[in-house]
Amino acid sequence: MANKYHSGDGRTRSSVSIFIVAGLCCFFYILGAWQRSGFGKGDRIAIRMAESGSDCNILSNLNFETHHGGEAGVIDDSDSKVTVYKPCPSKYTDYTPCQDQRRAMSFPRENMFYRERHCPSQEQKLHCLIPAPKGYVAPFPWPKSRDYVPYANAPYKSLTVEKAIQNWIQYEGNVFRFPGGGTQFPQGADKYIDQLASVIPIANGTVRTALDTGCGVASWGAYLWKRNVIAMSFAPRDSHEAQVQFALERGVPAVIGVLGTIKTPYPSSAFDMAHCSRCLIPWGVNDGLYMKEVDRVLRPGGYWVLSGPPINWKTNYKAWQRPMEDLQEEQRKIEEVAKLLCWEKKAEIGEIAVWQKSKDVNSCHAAQENSGATICKSEDADDVWYKKMEPCITQTNNGNNEELSGDLRPFPERLNAIPPRIASGSIAGVSVESYHEDNKQWKKHVNAYRKIIKILDSGRYRNIMDMNAGLGGFAAALQSPKLWVMNVVPTIAEKSTLGVIFERGLIGIYHDWCEAFSTYPRTYDLIHANGVFSLYKDKDARHLSFIQGYIVTLKYECRCNFEDILLEMDRILRPEGAVIFRDEVDVLVKVKKIIGGMRWDSKMMDHEDGPLIPQKIMVAVKQYWVGNSTSA
């Protein structure tokens, strides 16, 4: 009996032990899930907001289609803590904070200094919503947008008068028409590009990325698109209203910019081709300062095209109304600097000259040093944000000379091939394996976006921005002839990856989101914000002032806050444009509260991998509304 009793007692204790162990396992599993999900940081709120929208196939209360009319939407201000942002006065309809015309006139004009970025201080920033002009409508879909822009969207006729004989732009009823002409290509951009293609291998994918300096309305870039070449165009905000605005309304990549005193916001060895068509840039001055900046951003083996003065000056000096001696000296200086930069002149056809930068990087460097040329001392050729241009030659010295001088694969193969900067180990912490994994992750993310926004690939969204582009995985996964992506690498990002993005055959720019972007209002259809707000959380805002050519950094006690970034996003986003946020749940809860007072509709949902992932997705749509009148 005793043995029987002890045997039963052991079985009882064994059952209790199993029950306790099972209970502990369940407890720790739940505890682990609780810690992973970020409960205590707003996850409960996120789940409530996502209850009706966690299925990526259904977003019943967001409308991604466009309309051609409408009034201001009603803002839900039931939460008294939500700040409701009012519209700015109509005179700010085309406000560009860092290229404001009134502020620009207070700066020296020497070397185009006054046309460069001069941003308002924190106290001077507008805390209101930039209104669209009365009658604003959604742009025409590409490719119709290349040739037609609604008059109401950019109601400025000055170019139709000043450039009337040059076939730039014509006003026809309620639209502007762009015949594809230009100062140097009156027969049209297509025929002009055909001339270039007789010298430059444009057709086979070797040339993919191009830089157009002083682009006008960007017809050159617009017509390169069908040849699978993507051009980054820039022009200053000058007396001709809306050049860059017209370019973006047409669906062509462009930014407000100028070759002045500050380096261009692009990495070294980025572009396959650079172009100037009567862009009025004095290439020979200051020891070829501007040609040396083009050399910095031009890839070994890349091409530089100069058309217009002073090329073929002997024939055209009378038409240009300039002394022969001045034109001759100008061309002499250009040829001299080109030789110093190891550029070989490939052809001179009429008023067009084409040079090619040497692929033999090491021999070129040796020749430059033997000639006594001034070599830049900076160790990082990609560190360019607000850095002054110097009359020195940039030599790539980060260990990847051979890779950069070699031929990249033709596009579109290069889109997913291993970029030279990664293959050579130049980007710390980014291996070939992590590059492949990044591509894999972004294909999955973009597939999820396609379920959320079913018209993503329809052509509804032409101008797209990725505010924190990383290696360009989002743009690569989204690649389509119907759209283009401006890949922004924040200046405070841990890794400088913009060079990788260009090596993939994509375009992009450096930018600090504590400041306004160099574009007009309403120039992007879709904005992707991946980890942007986590990146800038608790970061100090810096305002950069210029005094007699020197940069003075003034650090304010205030933070670079979410409100400033979101108001800038609202400025550059078209009415009825969309934003995709991907960030930590506590960050998105704060963002959602702010945009609640910005005339945006939004919905939060779970990560593609399920509700236990602390990173969430939020999609917002900007409501259609306009101001009372066009800008003054």
PDB file of all heavy atoms in Angstrom, residues 120-151:
ATOM      1  N   PRO A 120      15.418  80.345 -44.156  1.00  0.00           N
ATOM      2  CA  PRO A 120      14.953  81.148 -43.019  1.00  0.00           C
ATOM      3  C   PRO A 120      15.348  80.506 -41.692  1.00  0.00           C
ATOM      4  O   PRO A 120      15.501  79.285 -41.595  1.00  0.00           O
ATOM      5  CB  PRO A 120      13.435  81.158 -43.196  1.00  0.00           C
ATOM      6  CG  PRO A 120      13.128  79.904 -43.953  1.00  0.00           C
ATOM      7  CD  PRO A 120      14.299  79.705 -44.870  1.00  0.00           C
ATOM      8  N   SER A 121      15.508  81.332 -40.684  1.00  0.00           N
ATOM      9  CA  SER A 121      15.776  80.810 -39.348  1.00  0.00           C
ATOM     10  C   SER A 121      14.517  80.162 -38.791  1.00  0.00           C
ATOM     11  O   SER A 121      13.430  80.274 -39.368  1.00  0.00           O
ATOM     12  CB  SER A 121      16.229  81.943 -38.426  1.00  0.00           C
ATOM     13  OG  SER A 121      15.166  82.868 -38.238  1.00  0.00           O
ATOM     14  N   GLN A 122      14.649  79.514 -37.650  1.00  0.00           N
ATOM     15  CA  GLN A 122      13.507  78.853 -37.034  1.00  0.00           C
ATOM     16  C   GLN A 122      12.391  79.853 -36.749  1.00  0.00           C
ATOM     17  O   GLN A 122      11.209  79.562 -36.951  1.00  0.00           O
ATOM     18  CB  GLN A 122      13.947  78.167 -35.734  1.00  0.00           C
ATOM     19  CG  GLN A 122      12.900  77.267 -35.099  1.00  0.00           C
ATOM     20  CD  GLN A 122      12.637  76.010 -35.910  1.00  0.00           C
ATOM     21  OE1 GLN A 122      13.476  75.621 -36.730  1.00  0.00           O
ATOM     22  NE2 GLN A 122      11.507  75.367 -35.696  1.00  0.00           N
ATOM     23  N   GLU A 123      12.767  81.055 -36.336  1.00  0.00           N
ATOM     24  CA  GLU A 123      11.768  82.069 -36.006  1.00  0.00           C
ATOM     25  C   GLU A 123      11.069  82.604 -37.258  1.00  0.00           C
ATOM     26  O   GLU A 123       9.952  83.121 -37.184  1.00  0.00           O
ATOM     27  CB  GLU A 123      12.420  83.238 -35.259  1.00  0.00           C
ATOM     28  CG  GLU A 123      12.900  82.894 -33.857  1.00  0.00           C
ATOM     29  CD  GLU A 123      14.240  82.168 -33.860  1.00  0.00           C
ATOM     30  OE1 GLU A 123      14.835  82.026 -34.960  1.00  0.00           O
ATOM     31  OE2 GLU A 123      14.679  81.732 -32.788  1.00  0.00           O
ATOM     32  N   GLN A 124      11.715  82.509 -38.415  1.00  0.00           N
ATOM     33  CA  GLN A 124      11.157  83.053 -39.648  1.00  0.00           C
ATOM     34  C   GLN A 124      10.318  82.045 -40.433  1.00  0.00           C
ATOM     35  O   GLN A 124       9.692  82.416 -41.425  1.00  0.00           O
ATOM     36  CB  GLN A 124      12.297  83.559 -40.544  1.00  0.00           C
ATOM     37  CG  GLN A 124      13.078  84.725 -39.975  1.00  0.00           C
ATOM     38  CD  GLN A 124      14.329  85.028 -40.792  1.00  0.00           C
ATOM     39  OE1 GLN A 124      14.976  84.129 -41.328  1.00  0.00           O
ATOM     40  NE2 GLN A 124      14.659  86.305 -40.899  1.00  0.00           N
ATOM     41  N   LYS A 125      10.299  80.803 -40.008  1.00  0.00           N
ATOM     42  CA  LYS A 125       9.575  79.779 -40.752  1.00  0.00           C
ATOM     43  C   LYS A 125       8.066  80.021 -40.694  1.00  0.00           C
ATOM     44  O   LYS A 125       7.538  80.480 -39.685  1.00  0.00           O
ATOM     45  CB  LYS A 125       9.885  78.384 -40.203  1.00  0.00           C
ATOM     46  CG  LYS A 125      11.288  77.890 -40.519  1.00  0.00           C
ATOM     47  CD  LYS A 125      11.517  76.489 -39.974  1.00  0.00           C
ATOM     48  CE  LYS A 125      12.903  75.975 -40.307  1.00  0.00           C
ATOM     49  NZ  LYS A 125      13.142  74.614 -39.762  1.00  0.00           N
ATOM     50  N   LEU A 126       7.399  79.688 -41.783  1.00  0.00           N
ATOM     51  CA  LEU A 126       5.939  79.777 -41.818  1.00  0.00           C
ATOM     52  C   LEU A 126       5.341  78.526 -41.178  1.00  0.00           C
ATOM     53  O   LEU A 126       5.753  77.409 -41.499  1.00  0.00           O
ATOM     54  CB  LEU A 126       5.450  79.879 -43.265  1.00  0.00           C
ATOM     55  CG  LEU A 126       5.898  81.091 -44.079  1.00  0.00           C
ATOM     56  CD1 LEU A 126       5.335  80.998 -45.492  1.00  0.00           C
ATOM     57  CD2 LEU A 126       5.455  82.385 -43.418  1.00  0.00           C
ATOM     58  N   HIS A 127       4.407  78.702 -40.300  1.00  0.00           N
ATOM     59  CA  HIS A 127       3.732  77.560 -39.679  1.00  0.00           C
ATOM     60  C   HIS A 127       2.291  77.518 -40.170  1.00  0.00           C
ATOM     61  O   HIS A 127       1.336  77.556 -39.377  1.00  0.00           O
ATOM     62  CB  HIS A 127       3.831  77.640 -38.163  1.00  0.00           C
ATOM     63  CG  HIS A 127       5.236  77.476 -37.658  1.00  0.00           C
ATOM     64  ND1 HIS A 127       5.835  76.257 -37.503  1.00  0.00           N
ATOM     65  CD2 HIS A 127       6.169  78.400 -37.323  1.00  0.00           C
ATOM     66  CE1 HIS A 127       7.072  76.415 -37.075  1.00  0.00           C
ATOM     67  NE2 HIS A 127       7.300  77.706 -36.962  1.00  0.00           N
ATOM     68  N   CYS A 128       2.170  77.469 -41.485  1.00  0.00           N
ATOM     69  CA  CYS A 128       0.858  77.425 -42.115  1.00  0.00           C
ATOM     70  C   CYS A 128       0.969  76.573 -43.370  1.00  0.00           C
ATOM     71  O   CYS A 128       2.067  76.175 -43.778  1.00  0.00           O
ATOM     72  CB  CYS A 128       0.372  78.832 -42.448  1.00  0.00           C
ATOM     73  SG  CYS A 128       1.549  79.839 -43.388  1.00  0.00           S
ATOM     74  N   LEU A 129      -0.156  76.278 -43.997  1.00  0.00           N
ATOM     75  CA  LEU A 129      -0.202  75.395 -45.158  1.00  0.00           C
ATOM     76  C   LEU A 129      -0.181  76.216 -46.440  1.00  0.00           C
ATOM     77  O   LEU A 129      -0.992  77.122 -46.623  1.00  0.00           O
ATOM     78  CB  LEU A 129      -1.462  74.534 -45.105  1.00  0.00           C
ATOM     79  CG  LEU A 129      -1.683  73.720 -43.826  1.00  0.00           C
ATOM     80  CD1 LEU A 129      -3.007  72.971 -43.904  1.00  0.00           C
ATOM     81  CD2 LEU A 129      -0.533  72.748 -43.586  1.00  0.00           C
ATOM     82  N   ILE A 130       0.752  75.889 -47.332  1.00  0.00           N
ATOM     83  CA  ILE A 130       0.876  76.607 -48.599  1.00  0.00           C
ATOM     84  C   ILE A 130      -0.328  76.266 -49.482  1.00  0.00           C
ATOM     85  O   ILE A 130      -0.577  75.096 -49.776  1.00  0.00           O
ATOM     86  CB  ILE A 130       2.176  76.232 -49.320  1.00  0.00           C
ATOM     87  CG1 ILE A 130       3.386  76.543 -48.440  1.00  0.00           C
ATOM     88  CG2 ILE A 130       2.281  76.955 -50.660  1.00  0.00           C
ATOM     89  CD1 ILE A 130       3.577  77.996 -48.107  1.00  0.00           C
ATOM     90  N   PRO A 131      -1.096  77.268 -49.919  1.00  0.00           N
ATOM     91  CA  PRO A 131      -2.296  76.974 -50.715  1.00  0.00           C
ATOM     92  C   PRO A 131      -1.963  76.722 -52.184  1.00  0.00           C
ATOM     93  O   PRO A 131      -1.003  77.271 -52.725  1.00  0.00           O
ATOM     94  CB  PRO A 131      -3.123  78.252 -50.565  1.00  0.00           C
ATOM     95  CG  PRO A 131      -2.096  79.334 -50.398  1.00  0.00           C
ATOM     96  CD  PRO A 131      -0.945  78.708 -49.638  1.00  0.00           C
ATOM     97  N   ALA A 132      -2.758  75.884 -52.811  1.00  0.00           N
ATOM     98  CA  ALA A 132      -2.679  75.721 -54.262  1.00  0.00           C
ATOM     99  C   ALA A 132      -3.388  76.888 -54.924  1.00  0.00           C
ATOM    100  O   ALA A 132      -4.306  77.474 -54.344  1.00  0.00           O
ATOM    101  CB  ALA A 132      -3.327  74.410 -54.683  1.00  0.00           C
ATOM    102  N   PRO A 133      -2.988  77.268 -56.144  1.00  0.00           N
ATOM    103  CA  PRO A 133      -3.669  78.371 -56.818  1.00  0.00           C
ATOM    104  C   PRO A 133      -5.094  77.991 -57.191  1.00  0.00           C
ATOM    105  O   PRO A 133      -5.403  76.810 -57.409  1.00  0.00           O
ATOM    106  CB  PRO A 133      -2.808  78.609 -58.062  1.00  0.00           C
ATOM    107  CG  PRO A 133      -2.118  77.313 -58.297  1.00  0.00           C
ATOM    108  CD  PRO A 133      -1.887  76.715 -56.949  1.00  0.00           C
ATOM    109  N   LYS A 134      -5.928  78.982 -57.277  1.00  0.00           N
ATOM    110  CA  LYS A 134      -7.319  78.747 -57.649  1.00  0.00           C
ATOM    111  C   LYS A 134      -7.370  78.085 -59.024  1.00  0.00           C
ATOM    112  O   LYS A 134      -6.697  78.504 -59.961  1.00  0.00           O
ATOM    113  CB  LYS A 134      -8.086  80.059 -57.662  1.00  0.00           C
ATOM    114  CG  LYS A 134      -9.587  79.899 -57.836  1.00  0.00           C
ATOM    115  CD  LYS A 134     -10.291  81.235 -57.726  1.00  0.00           C
ATOM    116  CE  LYS A 134     -11.796  81.065 -57.875  1.00  0.00           C
ATOM    117  NZ  LYS A 134     -12.503  82.377 -57.766  1.00  0.00           N
ATOM    118  N   GLY A 135      -8.171  77.028 -59.153  1.00  0.00           N
ATOM    119  CA  GLY A 135      -8.286  76.318 -60.421  1.00  0.00           C
ATOM    120  C   GLY A 135      -7.283  75.200 -60.586  1.00  0.00           C
ATOM    121  O   GLY A 135      -7.244  74.543 -61.630  1.00  0.00           O
ATOM    122  N   TYR A 136      -6.459  74.956 -59.551  1.00  0.00           N
ATOM    123  CA  TYR A 136      -5.441  73.905 -59.653  1.00  0.00           C
ATOM    124  C   TYR A 136      -6.072  72.555 -59.993  1.00  0.00           C
ATOM    125  O   TYR A 136      -7.110  72.187 -59.444  1.00  0.00           O
ATOM    126  CB  TYR A 136      -4.675  73.788 -58.335  1.00  0.00           C
ATOM    127  CG  TYR A 136      -3.622  72.702 -58.358  1.00  0.00           C
ATOM    128  CD1 TYR A 136      -2.339  72.966 -58.797  1.00  0.00           C
ATOM    129  CD2 TYR A 136      -3.928  71.398 -57.950  1.00  0.00           C
ATOM    130  CE1 TYR A 136      -1.380  71.975 -58.837  1.00  0.00           C
ATOM    131  CE2 TYR A 136      -2.976  70.395 -57.993  1.00  0.00           C
ATOM    132  CZ  TYR A 136      -1.704  70.688 -58.441  1.00  0.00           C
ATOM    133  OH  TYR A 136      -0.751  69.690 -58.488  1.00  0.00           O
ATOM    134  N   VAL A 137      -5.447  71.826 -60.903  1.00  0.00           N
ATOM    135  CA  VAL A 137      -5.925  70.487 -61.274  1.00  0.00           C
ATOM    136  C   VAL A 137      -4.754  69.516 -61.264  1.00  0.00           C
ATOM    137  O   VAL A 137      -3.587  69.921 -61.289  1.00  0.00           O
ATOM    138  CB  VAL A 137      -6.578  70.482 -62.678  1.00  0.00           C
ATOM    139  CG1 VAL A 137      -7.812  71.355 -62.700  1.00  0.00           C
ATOM    140  CG2 VAL A 137      -5.584  70.928 -63.744  1.00  0.00           C
ATOM    141  N   ALA A 138      -5.063  68.237 -61.239  1.00  0.00           N
ATOM    142  CA  ALA A 138      -4.022  67.224 -61.313  1.00  0.00           C
ATOM    143  C   ALA A 138      -3.309  67.315 -62.659  1.00  0.00           C
ATOM    144  O   ALA A 138      -3.955  67.521 -63.690  1.00  0.00           O
ATOM    145  CB  ALA A 138      -4.632  65.832 -61.147  1.00  0.00           C
ATOM    146  N   PRO A 139      -1.982  67.183 -62.674  1.00  0.00           N
ATOM    147  CA  PRO A 139      -1.253  67.233 -63.950  1.00  0.00           C
ATOM    148  C   PRO A 139      -1.700  66.104 -64.886  1.00  0.00           C
ATOM    149  O   PRO A 139      -2.237  65.086 -64.448  1.00  0.00           O
ATOM    150  CB  PRO A 139       0.211  67.048 -63.529  1.00  0.00           C
ATOM    151  CG  PRO A 139       0.246  67.405 -62.092  1.00  0.00           C
ATOM    152  CD  PRO A 139      -1.081  67.015 -61.534  1.00  0.00           C
ATOM    153  N   PHE A 140      -1.457  66.294 -66.166  1.00  0.00           N
ATOM    154  CA  PHE A 140      -1.745  65.240 -67.129  1.00  0.00           C
ATOM    155  C   PHE A 140      -0.829  64.055 -66.867  1.00  0.00           C
ATOM    156  O   PHE A 140       0.300  64.225 -66.412  1.00  0.00           O
ATOM    157  CB  PHE A 140      -1.535  65.749 -68.561  1.00  0.00           C
ATOM    158  CG  PHE A 140      -2.436  66.890 -68.937  1.00  0.00           C
ATOM    159  CD1 PHE A 140      -1.922  68.155 -69.163  1.00  0.00           C
ATOM    160  CD2 PHE A 140      -3.805  66.701 -69.059  1.00  0.00           C
ATOM    161  CE1 PHE A 140      -2.742  69.220 -69.505  1.00  0.00           C
ATOM    162  CE2 PHE A 140      -4.636  67.753 -69.402  1.00  0.00           C
ATOM    163  CZ  PHE A 140      -4.107  69.015 -69.626  1.00  0.00           C
ATOM    164  N   PRO A 141      -1.295  62.846 -67.139  1.00  0.00           N
ATOM    165  CA  PRO A 141      -0.417  61.676 -66.969  1.00  0.00           C
ATOM    166  C   PRO A 141       0.697  61.676 -68.017  1.00  0.00           C
ATOM    167  O   PRO A 141       0.542  62.242 -69.096  1.00  0.00           O
ATOM    168  CB  PRO A 141      -1.374  60.489 -67.169  1.00  0.00           C
ATOM    169  CG  PRO A 141      -2.490  61.027 -68.000  1.00  0.00           C
ATOM    170  CD  PRO A 141      -2.651  62.461 -67.603  1.00  0.00           C
ATOM    171  N   TRP A 142       1.806  61.072 -67.655  1.00  0.00           N
ATOM    172  CA  TRP A 142       2.907  60.901 -68.598  1.00  0.00           C
ATOM    173  C   TRP A 142       2.489  59.889 -69.671  1.00  0.00           C
ATOM    174  O   TRP A 142       1.826  58.925 -69.354  1.00  0.00           O
ATOM    175  CB  TRP A 142       4.152  60.400 -67.850  1.00  0.00           C
ATOM    176  CG  TRP A 142       5.367  60.280 -68.706  1.00  0.00           C
ATOM    177  CD1 TRP A 142       5.782  59.171 -69.410  1.00  0.00           C
ATOM    178  CD2 TRP A 142       6.323  61.300 -68.977  1.00  0.00           C
ATOM    179  NE1 TRP A 142       6.930  59.446 -70.084  1.00  0.00           N
ATOM    180  CE2 TRP A 142       7.284  60.751 -69.844  1.00  0.00           C
ATOM    181  CE3 TRP A 142       6.466  62.633 -68.581  1.00  0.00           C
ATOM    182  CZ2 TRP A 142       8.384  61.483 -70.315  1.00  0.00           C
ATOM    183  CZ3 TRP A 142       7.540  63.342 -69.051  1.00  0.00           C
ATOM    184  CH2 TRP A 142       8.481  62.768 -69.897  1.00  0.00           C
ATOM    185  N   PRO A 143       2.786  60.081 -70.955  1.00  0.00           N
ATOM    186  CA  PRO A 143       3.697  61.090 -71.520  1.00  0.00           C
ATOM    187  C   PRO A 143       3.028  62.382 -71.967  1.00  0.00           C
ATOM    188  O   PRO A 143       3.716  63.273 -72.465  1.00  0.00           O
ATOM    189  CB  PRO A 143       4.284  60.355 -72.710  1.00  0.00           C
ATOM    190  CG  PRO A 143       3.180  59.465 -73.179  1.00  0.00           C
ATOM    191  CD  PRO A 143       2.435  59.031 -71.944  1.00  0.00           C
ATOM    192  N   LYS A 144       1.711  62.524 -71.805  1.00  0.00           N
ATOM    193  CA  LYS A 144       1.069  63.768 -72.227  1.00  0.00           C
ATOM    194  C   LYS A 144       1.624  64.959 -71.449  1.00  0.00           C
ATOM    195  O   LYS A 144       1.753  66.070 -71.990  1.00  0.00           O
ATOM    196  CB  LYS A 144      -0.450  63.677 -72.040  1.00  0.00           C
ATOM    197  CG  LYS A 144      -1.194  64.911 -72.550  1.00  0.00           C
ATOM    198  CD  LYS A 144      -2.706  64.779 -72.405  1.00  0.00           C
ATOM    199  CE  LYS A 144      -3.406  66.040 -72.926  1.00  0.00           C
ATOM    200  NZ  LYS A 144      -4.882  65.941 -72.820  1.00  0.00           N
ATOM    201  N   SER A 145       1.986  64.729 -70.178  1.00  0.00           N
ATOM    202  CA  SER A 145       2.486  65.825 -69.352  1.00  0.00           C
ATOM    203  C   SER A 145       3.797  66.393 -69.887  1.00  0.00           C
ATOM    204  O   SER A 145       4.138  67.541 -69.594  1.00  0.00           O
ATOM    205  CB  SER A 145       2.675  65.352 -67.911  1.00  0.00           C
ATOM    206  OG  SER A 145       3.704  64.377 -67.827  1.00  0.00           O
ATOM    207  N   ARG A 146       4.524  65.605 -70.646  1.00  0.00           N
ATOM    208  CA  ARG A 146       5.766  66.108 -71.226  1.00  0.00           C
ATOM    209  C   ARG A 146       5.507  67.316 -72.123  1.00  0.00           C
ATOM    210  O   ARG A 146       6.327  68.235 -72.216  1.00  0.00           O
ATOM    211  CB  ARG A 146       6.452  65.003 -72.048  1.00  0.00           C
ATOM    212  CG  ARG A 146       7.830  65.371 -72.589  1.00  0.00           C
ATOM    213  CD  ARG A 146       8.292  64.392 -73.640  1.00  0.00           C
ATOM    214  NE  ARG A 146       7.495  64.492 -74.865  1.00  0.00           N
ATOM    215  CZ  ARG A 146       7.687  63.727 -75.946  1.00  0.00           C
ATOM    216  NH1 ARG A 146       8.605  62.781 -75.928  1.00  0.00           N
ATOM    217  NH2 ARG A 146       6.931  63.894 -77.016  1.00  0.00           N
ATOM    218  N   ASP A 147       4.362  67.324 -72.777  1.00  0.00           N
ATOM    219  CA  ASP A 147       4.055  68.344 -73.778  1.00  0.00           C
ATOM    220  C   ASP A 147       3.014  69.364 -73.329  1.00  0.00           C
ATOM    221  O   ASP A 147       2.903  70.427 -73.951  1.00  0.00           O
ATOM    222  CB  ASP A 147       3.558  67.672 -75.060  1.00  0.00           C
ATOM    223  CG  ASP A 147       4.570  66.680 -75.621  1.00  0.00           C
ATOM    224  OD1 ASP A 147       5.782  66.942 -75.487  1.00  0.00           O
ATOM    225  OD2 ASP A 147       4.146  65.651 -76.182  1.00  0.00           O
ATOM    226  N   TYR A 148       2.239  69.052 -72.273  1.00  0.00           N
ATOM    227  CA  TYR A 148       1.157  69.951 -71.855  1.00  0.00           C
ATOM    228  C   TYR A 148       1.133  70.104 -70.336  1.00  0.00           C
ATOM    229  O   TYR A 148       1.233  69.113 -69.594  1.00  0.00           O
ATOM    230  CB  TYR A 148      -0.198  69.426 -72.328  1.00  0.00           C
ATOM    231  CG  TYR A 148      -0.342  69.385 -73.830  1.00  0.00           C
ATOM    232  CD1 TYR A 148      -0.081  68.207 -74.540  1.00  0.00           C
ATOM    233  CD2 TYR A 148      -0.735  70.522 -74.545  1.00  0.00           C
ATOM    234  CE1 TYR A 148      -0.203  68.160 -75.923  1.00  0.00           C
ATOM    235  CE2 TYR A 148      -0.860  70.483 -75.923  1.00  0.00           C
ATOM    236  CZ  TYR A 148      -0.595  69.304 -76.615  1.00  0.00           C
ATOM    237  OH  TYR A 148      -0.715  69.273 -77.978  1.00  0.00           O
ATOM    238  N   VAL A 149       0.963  71.342 -69.877  1.00  0.00           N
ATOM    239  CA  VAL A 149       0.834  71.653 -68.452  1.00  0.00           C
ATOM    240  C   VAL A 149      -0.375  72.568 -68.277  1.00  0.00           C
ATOM    241  O   VAL A 149      -0.502  73.566 -69.004  1.00  0.00           O
ATOM    242  CB  VAL A 149       2.106  72.349 -67.923  1.00  0.00           C
ATOM    243  CG1 VAL A 149       1.858  72.980 -66.558  1.00  0.00           C
ATOM    244  CG2 VAL A 149       3.260  71.357 -67.851  1.00  0.00           C
ATOM    245  N   PRO A 150      -1.288  72.275 -67.354  1.00  0.00           N
ATOM    246  CA  PRO A 150      -2.426  73.169 -67.118  1.00  0.00           C
ATOM    247  C   PRO A 150      -1.972  74.567 -66.713  1.00  0.00           C
ATOM    248  O   PRO A 150      -1.121  74.720 -65.828  1.00  0.00           O
ATOM    249  CB  PRO A 150      -3.179  72.486 -65.972  1.00  0.00           C
ATOM    250  CG  PRO A 150      -2.769  71.046 -66.042  1.00  0.00           C
ATOM    251  CD  PRO A 150      -1.341  71.064 -66.504  1.00  0.00           C
ATOM    252  N   TYR A 151      -2.522  75.555 -67.353  1.00  0.00           N
ATOM    253  CA  TYR A 151      -2.142  76.948 -67.073  1.00  0.00           C
ATOM    254  C   TYR A 151      -2.353  77.305 -65.604  1.00  0.00           C
ATOM    255  O   TYR A 151      -1.528  77.999 -64.994  1.00  0.00           O
ATOM    256  CB  TYR A 151      -2.948  77.903 -67.965  1.00  0.00           C
ATOM    257  CG  TYR A 151      -2.811  79.352 -67.576  1.00  0.00           C
ATOM    258  CD1 TYR A 151      -1.666  80.072 -67.893  1.00  0.00           C
ATOM    259  CD2 TYR A 151      -3.827  80.005 -66.859  1.00  0.00           C
ATOM    260  CE1 TYR A 151      -1.526  81.403 -67.522  1.00  0.00           C
ATOM    261  CE2 TYR A 151      -3.701  81.333 -66.487  1.00  0.00           C
ATOM    262  CZ  TYR A 151      -2.551  82.030 -66.820  1.00  0.00           C
ATOM    263  OH  TYR A 151      -2.414  83.343 -66.444  1.00  0.00           O
TER     264      TYR A 151
END
